[in-house]
Amino acid sequence: MSNNLSEVDPFSEMPMEMPGEQEPGEGTRRRATNPGDDEVIVEKSPKNNVEINTVSKAAYAEPLTPEEIQWFYKDGVDKRWNEFCGYDSLRIERIYRERQSLISESNDGTNGLPPAEKIVVRGGMYDVDIDNMKCVSIYWPGEEWEIMRGIWYYDGSWIPLETEHSKVIEEVHLKLFQKDSNNQSITTCDTNTPQSYKVLHTEQFPEFHVDWHSVNDVTLYSEYTPTKLMRSVTSKLGFAKTTGYRLKRGHKTCTSMEDKPRDIDHLVFVVHGIGQKRDTGKIIRNTTCFRDCVGWLRQKYFPNSKHRVEFFPVEWRSSLKLDGDIVDAITPYSVLSIRHLLNTSAMDILYYTSPLYGAEVRAGLQKELNRLYFMFASRHPGWQGKVSILAHSLGCVIVYDIVTGWIGPDTRLPCPQAQEVLLQGLQFPIENLFCLGSPLSVFLALRTRTPSNRLDVMPQSLCKRFYNIFHWSDPVAYRMEPLLERGYSKIEPVLIPPYGGVDDQQMPQSPSSLNNVDPPLPPTVTETDDKDDSPVDSPPNRNAEKGWSLWDLVRGGWNVREGPSSPTPDSNPPIRPGQELAQRLDYVLRAVGLGRNYLYTVTAHTAYWNNYDVAYFVLTRLFPTLET
């Protein structure tokens, strides 16, 4: 078998078929046991009492229609075959058949033919290259998936057989059962073993073989050697084979042009932070993971929603040359691995705060954002949707500076191209700015001597809503509200509720990369003692956690036993009338499981991409009418 089938081994998931079931008496008719199976006449020979199964003359096989064929793609996250929607599958099949017709008419295959027409699939996000059997991303580089034409499937799991195997099986099947076919070239294998099917034909493959018993009874047998115990048991029972897997021809459901994704009504540009210098595909993987989380939540909680959001990864780091790798040249060889980690991650912060390179970084991100927007608009003329930005870490700072037009103390003028880009500003309005694990408030605090003077952090004319989302244990994230009004240092940030509004939800059965980042852990003795008077989703209890806590420096010393967004019980309230912020800015994730452990700080900064609470929060803020 090929690698594609070995990744999702059908032999481990299929029920085992045992040929040789007890048949009815002589001359009786056995009805099909499964819907769609053919009717078989069972006759017994008077000489050797061997059953001979003859296919009813009415049972024929015709070539599959386009609606019976399903196309698949294998994405880069779970490495499994996923179905294209009916609209995409039918259009791919049409181009495929046209291409095969041209190839059959040509003497030198595809060499003398022009490239095949590209098919835009998955709601306008990918192109299908039928010549190379690939699905390629349109708006960002590097994402390329294998595609497959599904004809034959394993019964039960509906895992498609590989294309080359399906093609051979289909050709044999039509030669055996097509009404006007000539069966002279097909050899049959008979067996004299009692209680066994008559085998009309056997096709051998390297790791399995396929037996045809009737038009609707095709079985695949693995060539793997069974154990001694299995061989002994099956031998005593008179079974010649033990690993049969029933095959189905044509997909279980017919495709339809009506099965089509809705038009995109909200774009979200996903901007990465530091640490992407040597891994340009990381933001694509993170965006795919977040997109899958949002898609699962939308299907589970809002299946009838007419809204569609699409997430575009924005990779701004690879196009920047900056110092020309001079930092790598001056790096000593001592502790090389740690130095390499710092050069590819934390060094981006130094580059951005440098008076030489800050403008170049902003110009690079701004250019990429505008490129993606205009590329999308050119493919969707007249589009009237909204645009939001989801930024992480340092990306929040760069996006904020681009939106607000902050220039900075750059002593070196950028190149003419960068100057032209900076003078533009973004070419589209922003509906929401979601900041994940953001150090923005630190940057803003260091840019002014009076940070608590009611700064207008994000005018609504530039961005309607600003959300500062962080985890309790994230060592990079800082609050925004106390920067604008000092009294908010004693008011808890808004607690992001569990996704779906209830606790103990059933997570989707997906790979570990999509699992919830906060798996529950058994409570410690101290946590158990405080359980009665401390809310479950509150920040870590100060009395329960002995020792130094980084979060103590950030949260400003409020009383964590109070409910979310409640001030400390003080004789002097922290916020006087008229000092309240018009909109809350700080939103914190619930601290459960590993979130109560100091060791979780190592991974908390990158745990937002596969957190279903974050995904649900973003989805319901993009479309506020969903929950109503």
Side-chain angles (χ1 to χ4, degrees):
M1 304 283 285
S2 68
N3 292 334
N4 295 321
L5 283 180
S6 62
E7 290 173 3
V8 185
D9 186 6
F11 301 130
S12 64
E13 299 180 8
M14 296 295 175
M16 185 169 63
E17 297 264 347
M18 291 291 189
E21 297 176 356
Q22 186 65 38
E23 299 289 353
E26 179 179 355
T28 60
R29 181 183 302 272
R30 188 187 68 191
R31 293 289 182 182
T33 56
N34 296 318
D37 284 3
D38 57 306
E39 190 175 77
V40 178
I41 304 297
V42 180
E43 300 176 348
K44 289 198 174 181
S45 170
K47 293 184 179 180
N48 53 19
N49 202 34
V50 175
E51 297 176 358
I52 301 175
N53 299 337
T54 60
V55 182
S56 172
K57 293 182 179 180
Y60 296 109
E62 296 297 333
L64 294 174
T65 64
E67 290 76 14
E68 295 175 292
I69 293 175
Q70 176 67 57
W71 282 83
F72 296 82
Y73 65 91
K74 181 182 288 187
D75 66 30
V77 176
D78 55 14
K79 306 295 184 182
R80 298 177 69 92
W81 289 114
N82 300 283
E83 300 176 6
F84 282 103
C85 67
Y87 178 77
D88 291 343
S89 183
L90 286 170
R91 291 185 301 120
I92 298 173
E93 179 65 15
R94 177 179 62 83
I95 299 298
Y96 174 83
R97 295 193 178 206
E98 293 176 358
R99 197 65 173 171
Q100 291 301 306
S101 177
L102 292 175
I103 293 174
S104 63
E105 297 173 0
S106 175
N107 295 327
D108 55 353
T110 59
N111 294 330
L113 297 176
E117 174 188 344
K118 296 288 182 64
I119 307 114
V120 180
V121 296
R122 302 203 64 198
M125 305 303 295
Y126 296 85
D127 278 338
V128 162
D129 182 357
I130 204 69
D131 287 337
N132 298 310
M133 298 295 282
K134 297 291 183 181
C135 180
V136 184
S137 56
I138 296 175
Y139 297 97
W140 51 88
E143 196 171 17
E144 185 176 282
W145 300 339
E146 184 181 356
I147 65 173
M148 178 187 194
R149 186 173 185 250
I151 305 176
W152 285 85
Y153 305 85
Y154 292 94
D155 189 16
S157 69
W158 289 97
I159 298 174
L161 271 72
E162 283 303 308
T163 303
E164 59 270 19
H165 300 150
S166 287
K167 186 176 181 180
V168 174
I169 295 173
E170 179 68 4
E171 291 175 354
V172 173
H173 192 78
L174 290 177
K175 287 180 181 179
L176 279 172
F177 300 108
Q178 196 168 6
K179 187 173 183 179
D180 55 352
S181 63
N182 185 359
N183 296 351
Q184 299 301 320
S185 61
I186 299 298
T187 59
T188 60
C189 290
D190 203 348
T191 175
N192 293 325
T193 305
Q195 296 182 339
S196 65
Y197 285 115
K198 178 180 179 180
V199 179
L200 302 177
H201 177 72
T202 296
E203 190 70 24
Q204 194 70 42
F205 295 91
E207 297 182 5
F208 61 88
H209 69 273
V210 177
D211 285 350
W212 276 262
H213 303 290
S214 70
V215 68
N216 284 325
D217 193 347
V218 183
T219 308
L220 181 148
Y221 296 96
S222 172
E223 299 292 352
Y224 294 115
T225 304
T227 63
K228 289 184 178 180
L229 176 61
M230 181 62 71
R231 286 199 301 266
S232 174
V233 172
T234 56
S235 176
K236 291 179 180 179
L237 293 177
F239 297 140
K241 300 169 183 176
T242 59
T243 55
Y245 302 95
R246 189 98 177 255
L247 300 182
K248 288 293 186 180
R249 180 174 180 256
H251 200 249
K252 58 183 176 181
T253 57
C254 290
T255 56
S256 170
M257 292 294 286
E258 300 300 321
D259 180 20
K260 182 180 179 180
R262 298 182 180 275
D263 293 333
I264 299 172
D265 53 2
H266 208 130
L267 282 182
V268 178
F269 293 124
V270 183
V271 181
H272 68 78
I274 62 176
Q276 313 260 328
K277 182 178 180 181
R278 306 292 183 186
D279 189 0
T280 58
K282 186 175 181 180
I283 185 59
I284 296 177
R285 296 192 300 271
N286 289 339
T287 303
T288 300
C289 186
F290 194 82
R291 182 190 299 119
D292 290 343
C293 291
V294 171
W296 182 85
L297 291 167
R298 186 191 63 81
Q299 183 63 32
K300 178 176 176 61
Y301 295 104
F302 315 106
N304 298 322
S305 171
K306 298 181 180 180
H307 297 294
R308 180 187 168 198
V309 58
E310 190 55 62
F311 297 87
F312 279 36
V314 183
E315 205 288 303
W316 54 265
R317 185 61 179 83
S318 61
S319 62
L320 303 178
K321 302 300 180 183
L322 299 178
D323 63 3
D325 292 332
I326 188 62
V327 172
D328 291 337
I330 63 177
T331 300
Y333 287 103
S334 58
V335 289
L336 191 60
S337 59
I338 298 178
R339 299 274 192 168
H340 176 76
L341 176 63
L342 293 175
N343 287 353
T344 57
S345 57
M347 191 60 62
D348 281 346
I349 298 178
L350 299 182
Y351 282 136
Y352 190 61
T353 56
S354 166
L356 297 178
Y357 303 115
E360 190 172 345
V361 173
R362 288 192 295 276
L365 175 55
Q366 182 172 307
K367 180 180 179 181
E368 182 65 12
L369 287 169
N370 285 331
R371 183 191 72 84
L372 288 172
Y373 176 78
F374 284 117
M375 187 176 180
F376 177 84
S378 66
R379 286 173 168 259
H380 300 80
W383 184 71
Q384 299 294 324
K386 299 177 180 179
V387 181
S388 293
I389 295 181
L390 179 73
H392 179 244
S393 190
L394 180 64
C396 305
V397 182
I398 307 174
V399 169
Y400 175 85
D401 290 344
I402 292 174
V403 174
T404 59
W406 188 80
I407 301 298
D410 293 6
T411 60
R412 187 188 70 174
L413 291 177
C415 63
Q417 294 83 357
Q419 292 185 37
E420 181 180 354
V421 171
L422 288 173
L423 290 176
Q424 294 175 359
L426 291 176
Q427 298 298 297
F428 52 88
I430 299 177
E431 188 76 10
N432 305 282
L433 174 57
F434 300 95
C435 292
L436 307 178
S438 170
L440 174 60
S441 59
V442 175
F443 281 76
L444 296 180
L446 297 179
R447 292 174 183 175
T448 175
R449 294 184 180 276
T450 56
S452 184
N453 61 351
R454 276 293 196 170
L455 296 175
D456 194 359
V457 62
M458 183 64 74
Q460 286 194 350
S461 59
L462 301 177
C463 176
K464 290 186 178 180
R465 282 304 305 265
F466 177 91
Y467 300 94
N468 183 42
I469 303 170
F470 58 96
H471 192 280
W472 291 114
S473 304
D474 189 341
V476 180
Y478 289 84
R479 293 194 64 187
M480 285 294 300
E481 292 169 342
L483 180 67
L484 309 182
E485 193 62 55
R486 185 65 61 88
Y488 275 87
S489 64
K490 296 183 179 181
I491 296 180
E492 294 182 10
V494 179
L495 184 68
I496 295 179
Y499 69 90
V502 293
D503 247 326
D504 301 324
Q505 303 91 338
Q506 290 292 323
M507 300 301 297
Q509 298 299 316
S510 56
S512 58
S513 62
L514 297 183
N515 287 342
N516 194 1
V517 297
D518 288 335
L521 292 181
T524 61
V525 175
T526 308
E527 288 174 336
T528 304
D529 294 339
D530 294 340
K531 184 176 182 180
D532 293 336
D533 56 354
S534 178
V536 176
D537 288 334
S538 66
N541 187 280
R542 190 178 301 178
N543 297 326
E545 293 190 359
K546 304 297 182 182
W548 179 84
S549 171
L550 177 63
W551 184 242
D552 285 338
L553 303 178
V554 182
R555 64 186 177 184
W558 63 69
N559 188 344
V560 299
R561 292 178 180 274
E562 296 297 319
S565 304
S566 60
T568 51
D570 196 350
S571 56
N572 296 320
I575 302 297
R576 296 186 177 90
Q579 293 181 329
E580 298 88 353
L581 297 177
Q583 297 176 341
R584 295 300 303 269
L585 304 179
D586 292 335
Y587 296 83
V588 67
L589 286 167
R590 54 191 177 124
V592 295
L594 289 177
R596 295 178 178 270
N597 194 310
Y598 287 128
L599 296 178
Y600 188 65
T601 60
V602 178
T603 58
H605 186 57
T606 58
Y608 302 99
W609 305 113
N610 52 14
N611 189 293
Y612 283 83
D613 291 346
V614 176
Y616 187 88
F617 180 82
V618 170
L619 176 62
T620 52
R621 289 331 184 258
L622 293 174
F623 306 111
T625 59
L626 285 180
E627 290 187 307
T628 59

